[in-house]
Every structure is written in C-alpha cells, then in structure tokens.
Amino acid sequence: MRRRSILAAAAALFMCLLAAGCKGSLSSGQQQQPQPAMAGAPSVPNGKEKFDPPVVITTAKALRDSDTLKNGDTVDHNPITRWAKEKLGIIQQNKWIVADQNEALATKIRLALTGGDELPDVLFVTNHDLPDLLEEMVNSGKIMDISEAFASYASPRVKEAYEKNPDVWKTVTYNGKRWGLPQISDGKVGDPILWIRQDWLDKLHLNVPTTLEELETVMDAFTNGDPDGNGQKDTIALAFAGKNNLNAWMGSVSFLYGAYGDQPYQWNRMSDGTLAYGSVQPEIKTALRRLSDWYSKGYIDKDFGIQDEPQAAALFVKGTAGIIAGPGWMGGWPLDDTPRQVPGAVVKPAPFPVGPDGTIGRMGTKLSYGSYIFRKGFNHMDAIFLYWDKVYGALIEDPNSDFVYGYGEGYDYIMKDGEPVYDFPGADTGIANFLMVAPGSAPLNVIQGDSIERRVFQGHITTPYEKKLASTLSRTFLEGLLVSDIQAAYAQKDEYVGPNTGAMKSKWPLLKKMEKEAFLKIVYGKEPADSFDAFVRQWHKLGGDLVTEEINRWYRETERSGNALNHGDEASEK
C-alpha cells in the first residue's frame, strides 16, 4: 500500500497523485508554516462557484494498467466525476478512451486532425508528444488560442503561478499565440542524485564520495572488494541505463557530464546567450573518455547498452550494483525493494561529487510534463478554470480545499472516527488520474518557507497535508528529496521546449542515430575518444547547423512573443 502511494507520487508525468505535492524552496533557519499562494482568492473573477444547469465537457482518457476502479465505479462515474457534478456543476464525459501505451492517444489525435472527427473539448498531451503534435494541431484549425480565456477566467492564485514561472508558456507557444494550458512542474522532481549502498561503504571502511576521484575509489572497491561478502566477484559499482541514451532519467551519469561542465541530449544556454546542443560540446568528449575507462575496469555492467531504466534499477535493487543515479523520489520506488530482496541492505542518498575543477552539474527537471489543449469552438473555459483552481488548491496546501484529505474516499483515504486513514487494505492513489484537468504539482516559487517534505522529515506533522505525507511516504523517500534540494542550483534544464522545427523533422532521426552509435562505440572501447571529433563534424555537416539555426530563431521569437503576451496579461489585469 505504501509502495503504491510512493510510486504514484514519484514522477511528474503521473499528473499530481498526491494532494501534498507542494515542494517549496528549502530555506535554512527556523521552520516555517507554508504560505499558500492566495489561497483565499475567488475561483473565477465573476465569482461563479457552480454551474446550474450543469455543463458537459468532453475529454479523453489514456488508461494505465494501474487505473483500477472499485465499488461499481466506472470511468465516467467515480468519486472525481461525482465531485465535479455535485460541487461545480460540471459533467465529465470521456469521448475517447485508449490504453496508455504505444502512443495510442497521439495516434487518435492525428487521425482526428486529418479526418472529419471532432476533438474532445479538452485533451491532455504529454511533453513527449507535444513537440510532434503542436504544429499539426494548430495548422488543423481545430484547437484554440487560450490567451483571452486565461486572462478572463484564471483565478488570481493561478495567474500568480504562471507569473512566477513564465517560461512554461514556451511549451505551448506557436506563431506568437498560446495554444494550451501547460502544467507547471515543481522544478525539481526529475533532478538526480546518487543512491549508494551504505552497508557496502561500512563493510569496506569507506566514506560517501564527494569528488570524482573518491567516487572511483569507491567504485573500484564495490567492483573488486567483495562488498556483499559472498566470496565471489559478482558485483559492479554503477547501475547504468544506456539503451535509450547515455543520460537516462534513472540510471544516469548526469553527474559525470556535469563534473566537466555540460549536459548532452539537450539544448543549453551558452555564455553569449545562444542555445547549443550539449552532445557536441568538447566537455562531453572528456566525460565519454572517463566513462569508457570505467567500462574497461568493470565498474559498469557489460550489457549496459541494452539495459533500460527499470533494468538498470533492478541491478541495484537485487544487490548486483552499489551505486545508481536518479531522482530523489527513487528512495520510495523502486529502491524501497532493496532491503526486501537483500536482507541487511542500507540505501542512502548522497549529493553528486565534484569534478576535477570543483564543478558540479546535473540534468534538470522539465518545465512541464504535459499540457491541456482545447477544441476550437469550446465555450466553457470558465468551467475549466473553476475546476483547475479547485484542484490547484490542494497542491498549495489550501486548508479549505475539497481535496484536503485526498482525491477519493475509499481510494487514497478512508475516514475513521472523524480522521483520515491512508494505510488501509486496498489503498490506491490512482484515482487522481481520473481528474479532467490537473495542474500537476505545486509550482516553483509559489509556496514560501520550508517544503512539506522538510517539515515532515523534521517531525512537524500538524496539517492534513503533512499527516498524509507522513502516513504514505517513507523516511528514505523524504531524505532523498531533501538531498536533491541541496544541489538545486546545479541543475541544467533543457532550454528548448518548443515544437519540432522543419529541419528537426527531416534531419533529427539521422543525427540521433549517429549520436547514439558514436557514444556507444567510445564507451565500449570500439573507437577512441578522439572519434568524437569526427562525429561532431558530421553532425554539423548533416543538418546540425541548420537545426541549431532554427532552434535559436525559435528561441529569439519566443522570447519576444512571450514578453509581448506577458505584457498583455499585465494590461488585462489593470
């Protein structure tokens, strides 16, 4: 039960499955109560709290295997849909229901764009699909620019969230217009840290590594020093996922690239203000050379190139590997299984080590993990923003939220003697996936004071949100998030969040194939590190320069249009 709650909270792309999703800044000093962002503000400017007669809004649902309902509930009739109808006068109807696999929803959208089918009123498109779909949706004429609706109907506290995180609008901006309402991430859910077997360190009389040199000492001992004490040479140091790319979201080596000052597989802002693709920067060559050395010494699994993220994590969980890099929430899932599979195992989080010149770096959390797109002609955006505000209240710990205890009684909580209980047979946080629209998580810069994780970790368990977090998440989970916060300033976010450009559509598949082959050959020792230079030359020649030119044009235009739109928002407020 507890593990299910942790998994649901772990990734931003799972929407917001914890009402206590707030993750404010970690300030030092005295513990502070959270200050919700304008929690008492009216839901919509006109004060409407319920539609009478009810309004019907159609949507689409991509169902996961874990999206189970009980007690006779259905996709269209469950605690979430009943709340919307009874409290807000909003009737949710699922126009499309697909399985959340093989890009089924994206395929359904494309078929509707090219055919005569009408889109649902509201669609959630993930950050994975949006770059491919945005231009198609706009050019189809079937979706709406939401700029005026946002200015007219978003509540003050919702507007504040976007004012404090304006870059998130870039994910839905095209031709100077805003074509959707993006979720705002908490700014850190994807930021990786090290996870290490503390019992192995203790057995080998080693300390948690703070530099790359110290890390290599630990990796050598974990590989060759029989840390599991079975008398066999059957352990490796680092669980590394290389199947998709050499900087995965779990089982990454983000810390190695960052120690030399860059991050691959993303667009980074350079000193002159332009954007450049990280994978072709000279720092990556240095990191790949060192990674190849680690491979040759047996510090990483010989089959890392065909292992995806869960497979890499399994190496750690089953006791084969002693170090893995990944998000702070991994202490909840999947690493919580480690002590069960390996009796006596002690898993601890640690900050990333510094590089040769004291540099620290890591890939950063995405600005948004998905956006809501609205059908052109849909005329109930006032209802959307009423709904959005009500769900948003739970994320910022609004004591008056309808979801102060959870999203569905009998699912993520039950009431016993007037108090919510979260650890009970059949507890399941998946009910939150049935929200029609969900803001995602508490946006960065909104909650002031200590984060809810820090408060609960330090024993401050007073509010319903704090009680829920304390009841559903492990101490290792919380500690991982706090360790992640220590190095928040070193996260390097991908600066390109727009739609795929023309050159990307035609050139990117080949460039990505070249990139993957070049990197793997270097790490496997099939090519020397100097072969990186030939890869870079080919990358530029075969389309990289053109893609870079288009990316920077988008960047300049989006900055200008963003400033104009933001000024327009300010004018409408006045």
Side-chain angles (χ1 to χ4, degrees):
M1 291 173 289
R2 171 169 289 184
R3 182 176 182 272
R4 195 91 181 257
S5 296
I6 292 167
L7 173 57
L13 70 156
F14 288 164
M15 315 281 281
C16 175
L17 302 188
L18 278 180
C22 145
K23 297 178 177 69
S25 61
L26 282 175
S27 58
S28 59
Q30 293 295 316
Q31 206 168 74
Q32 302 176 33
Q33 288 293 326
Q35 299 298 318
M38 307 182 71
S43 297
V44 288
N46 63 11
K48 186 185 291 291
E49 290 292 331
K50 183 175 181 178
F51 290 87
D52 188 13
V55 299
V56 177
I57 300 177
T58 61
T59 186
K61 186 62 61 183
L63 293 177
R64 308 174 308 225
D65 290 341
S66 59
D67 291 324
T68 57
L69 293 164
K70 52 190 176 181
N71 304 322
D73 290 334
T74 67
V75 174
D76 290 312
H77 300 282
N78 55 68
I80 295 292
T81 61
R82 288 192 288 271
W83 162 81
K85 183 178 180 179
E86 294 166 8
K87 288 294 187 75
L88 308 182
I90 297 173
I91 298 175
Q92 300 176 213
Q93 288 186 354
N94 289 284
K95 184 180 178 70
W96 299 341
I97 298 177
V98 299
D100 188 16
Q101 58 187 0
N102 300 323
E103 300 186 351
L105 183 55
T107 300
K108 186 78 173 176
I109 293 172
R110 283 196 173 91
L111 291 173
L113 294 178
T114 56
D117 291 347
E118 186 177 70
L119 295 173
D121 298 326
V122 55
L123 280 167
F124 180 73
V125 182
T126 68
N127 69 296
H128 173 75
D129 293 327
L130 194 59
D132 283 332
L133 283 172
L134 184 58
E135 183 180 15
E136 292 180 49
M137 290 189 292
V138 172
N139 291 340
S140 74
K142 293 185 176 184
I143 67 172
M144 65 183 290
D145 170 13
I146 71 155
S147 301
E148 290 186 10
F150 182 85
S152 298
Y153 300 119
S155 69
R157 64 184 184 183
V158 169
K159 287 181 178 177
E160 179 197 41
Y162 287 87
E163 288 166 2
K164 291 185 174 181
N165 298 274
D167 283 349
V168 74
W169 286 117
K170 293 178 180 178
T171 63
V172 293
T173 298
Y174 184 75
N175 289 342
K177 296 181 178 181
R178 292 170 176 167
W179 298 98
L181 185 62
Q183 292 181 333
I184 307 174
S185 81
D186 66 359
K188 65 183 183 181
V189 69
D191 289 6
I193 60 174
L194 281 187
W195 290 94
I196 195 163
R197 284 284 299 273
Q198 182 64 50
D199 55 309
W200 284 14
L201 290 175
D202 294 342
K203 181 179 185 297
L204 300 170
H205 307 291
L206 296 168
N207 296 320
V208 173
T210 59
T211 68
L212 278 186
E213 287 70 24
E214 291 176 358
L215 178 64
E216 288 192 347
T217 298
V218 170
M219 289 198 297
D220 185 73
F222 279 9
T223 303
N224 302 307
D226 191 25
D228 58 1
N230 66 357
Q232 301 178 39
K233 193 174 184 302
D234 57 357
T235 58
I236 58 171
L238 183 67
F240 179 31
K243 180 178 180 178
N244 298 313
N245 64 54
L246 302 194
N247 206 22
W249 58 271
M250 184 167 63
S252 77
V253 287
S254 175
F255 64 91
L256 179 58
Y257 302 118
Y260 292 104
D262 220 312
Q263 289 296 321
Y265 308 106
Q266 64 182 48
W267 293 85
N268 304 319
R269 194 197 311 265
M270 309 305 284
S271 59
D272 63 358
T274 62
L275 301 188
Y277 192 55
S279 293
V280 294
Q281 304 310 309
E283 294 82 0
I284 304 305
K285 173 182 175 180
T286 307
L288 289 174
R289 177 183 285 116
R290 196 156 192 173
L291 189 58
S292 179
D293 182 55
W294 292 356
Y295 177 78
S296 69
K297 293 177 178 177
Y299 296 166
I300 58 181
D301 192 85
K302 61 181 178 63
D303 293 324
F304 80 89
I306 58 173
Q307 291 169 347
D308 61 16
E309 292 86 350
Q311 289 170 323
L315 292 176
F316 187 98
V317 171
K318 69 182 183 182
T320 299
I323 304 169
I324 190 170
W329 48 257
M330 283 180 66
W333 175 89
L335 303 189
D336 63 326
D337 270 347
T338 308
R340 287 189 281 272
Q341 294 202 30
V342 187
V346 179
V347 178
K348 286 291 184 181
F352 278 164
V354 302
D357 62 355
T359 301
I360 303 171
R362 63 184 183 186
M363 59 181 171
T365 296
K366 297 183 184 301
L367 292 172
S368 174
Y369 286 87
S371 299
Y372 289 91
I373 309 298
F374 302 92
R375 177 181 60 81
K376 188 174 183 178
F378 174 58
N379 59 2
H380 278 298
M381 291 299 290
D382 50 353
I384 291 291
F385 281 107
L386 174 62
Y387 193 114
W388 187 275
D389 178 84
K390 293 299 185 183
V391 180
Y392 177 71
L395 304 181
I396 58 173
E397 301 181 64
D398 182 353
N400 299 313
S401 169
D402 291 336
F403 303 116
V404 67
Y405 298 131
Y407 288 107
E409 186 172 0
Y411 284 85
D412 53 351
Y413 75 99
I414 59 173
M415 298 300 293
K416 186 174 182 179
D417 299 327
E419 291 291 328
V421 175
Y422 302 100
D423 193 4
F424 63 93
D428 185 353
T429 60
I431 188 64
N433 191 44
F434 294 91
L435 289 164
M436 181 176 66
V437 291
S441 56
L444 194 65
N445 305 318
V446 169
I447 301 260
Q448 302 302 312
D450 287 335
S451 70
I452 191 170
E453 293 89 0
R454 178 177 285 276
R455 282 181 267 128
V456 171
F457 188 79
Q458 294 179 345
H460 190 278
I461 305 171
T462 303
T463 72
Y465 298 102
E466 292 165 347
K467 290 177 181 178
K468 179 178 182 180
L469 199 68
S471 297
T472 56
L473 300 181
S474 70
R475 194 164 180 82
T476 304
F477 178 102
L478 296 174
E479 188 178 4
L481 295 179
L482 299 188
V483 169
S484 178
D485 285 340
I486 292 172
Q487 295 183 331
Y490 301 114
Q492 192 169 4
K493 299 183 185 300
D494 190 348
E495 295 287 344
Y496 183 68
V497 293
N500 290 339
T501 69
M504 289 181 79
K505 293 175 184 176
S506 60
K507 307 293 186 182
W508 209 240
L510 173 61
L511 296 179
K512 293 299 290 182
K513 181 175 183 290
M514 289 169 47
E515 175 188 55
K516 184 173 184 178
E517 290 177 353
F519 284 20
L520 282 173
K521 286 179 180 179
I522 291 172
V523 178
Y524 274 127
K526 295 181 179 180
E527 293 285 351
D530 286 341
S531 67
F532 178 85
D533 300 330
F535 153 70
V536 172
R537 288 192 296 270
Q538 285 293 98
W539 187 91
H540 286 288
K541 180 180 178 180
L542 297 178
D545 282 343
L546 183 56
V547 172
T548 301
E549 180 183 337
E550 291 182 346
I551 293 290
N552 278 280
R553 186 184 307 129
W554 167 89
Y555 187 67
R556 292 190 299 270
E557 292 174 352
T558 305
E559 287 285 296
R560 285 196 297 269
S561 63
N563 289 335
L565 288 167
N566 289 335
H567 289 150
D569 292 342
E570 293 171 6
S572 68
E573 285 295 299
K574 295 177 181 178

